[in-house]
Amino acid sequence: MRKLFAALAALLMLLSGAVSLAEPLALSDDLAGTYCWPEGSSEDTAVFLYRYCFPQVQGDGSTEENINAFYQYQLSDECEFRVAMAGNAVQHPELDAYMDIRYSVTVNDDRYFGVLLRRETVADGERLVIYSSQVFGRASDKPGDVLTLAYILGVLAEDSDDSWLQNRQTNWASECVRELVWEQAQRKASTDPKYAALTREDLNNDFYPEEDFYYDGELDALVFFLQPYMSGDEASDELLVFPLTVEEILDEL
């Protein structure tokens, strides 16, 4: 079984290589600004501020259009729903209350365009930093779509509409990654107290391998991450990271 998936992964790499190499995507002006809640308030009078900075890329191809549309929709959706919920939950409007979103590009080559988003929320004297990420395909069946873990590993076709198969392959890949991450966490625990605070229950309850990863172009690996608060230090901004190559994961499937 392992040999089969290794062969499939190699075939996917060959097919991707057959596509003419593309230049990295050029970044355009950021989708950035400040939204004040309630609507119509100013930064001085707002109960809650939403400061955002999302990437946008140059070009009018389907890849570029899909990436730009993804973040434009996210901005619209968050201003309409998430910000209103956060604003309504503020109990002490005399204190600073805001959400601040910033990004970094983790990979930008002919295969992937990857983004890591950092979201800092402050309200009622409390602060929380949460990370999320997206890996957009360039040499895929649907350029500019966010790729799933199972697809990147080559264990599920991008156009598969079999929900049973999707769930099976997704769960299979996720459990494999969870085991590999736990092994890394145990090794790191001996030298780094941030990892020593982790338990297997933490990984079962608060780690979602299908979502909690980004692609690191320099490492040429998937980097799975745990949120900063899982280190036991609520003031920390630092992710707990576990890099794994596609080959390492496939070798365990």
Side-chain angles (χ1 to χ4, degrees), residues 88-153:
N88 279 314
V90 171
Q91 298 181 15
H92 299 283
E94 71 278 9
L95 300 178
D96 286 342
Y98 62 83
M99 185 181 296
D100 187 275
I101 296 181
R102 295 292 180 266
Y103 77 89
S104 58
V105 175
T106 64
V107 61
N108 187 6
D109 58 26
D110 59 298
R111 302 167 301 162
Y112 308 120
F113 179 77
V115 174
L116 181 66
L117 294 174
R118 175 188 180 276
R119 181 190 305 271
E120 177 186 18
T121 304
V122 172
D124 297 327
E126 298 184 356
R127 175 178 176 273
L128 180 66
V129 174
I130 295 291
Y131 289 83
S132 60
S133 67
Q134 298 82 43
V135 180
F136 298 92
R138 297 192 66 192
S140 65
D141 299 334
K142 299 177 181 178
D145 279 12
V146 177
L147 301 181
T148 65
L149 172 62
Y151 178 80
I152 292 175
L153 294 177

Side-chain angles (χ1 to χ4, degrees), residues 9 14 20 87 154 156 158 195 229-230 242:
L14 288 173
S20 59
L156 184 67
E158 188 174 12
Y195 294 88
Y229 68 84
M230 295 180 68
F242 306 87

Side-chain angles (χ1 to χ4, degrees), residues 148-213:
T148 65
L149 172 62
Y151 178 80
I152 292 175
L153 294 177
V155 298
L156 184 67
E158 188 174 12
D159 59 355
S160 173
D161 57 2
D162 185 331
S163 59
W164 178 86
L165 181 62
Q166 289 175 351
N167 291 333
R168 177 183 181 277
Q169 299 300 85
T170 296
N171 292 336
W172 184 30
S174 293
E175 285 307 308
C176 175
V177 167
R178 191 173 275 109
E179 289 293 334
L180 292 171
V181 165
W182 177 237
E183 291 174 6
Q184 278 198 35
Q186 290 180 300
R187 291 195 297 270
K188 292 182 177 184
S190 61
T191 57
D192 193 330
K194 296 191 303 296
Y195 294 88
L198 292 173
T199 67
R200 183 55 194 264
E201 187 177 3
D202 291 332
L203 266 64
N204 291 338
N205 295 336
D206 293 308
F207 173 49
Y208 306 94
E210 179 67 13
E211 301 175 5
D212 297 341
F213 75 91

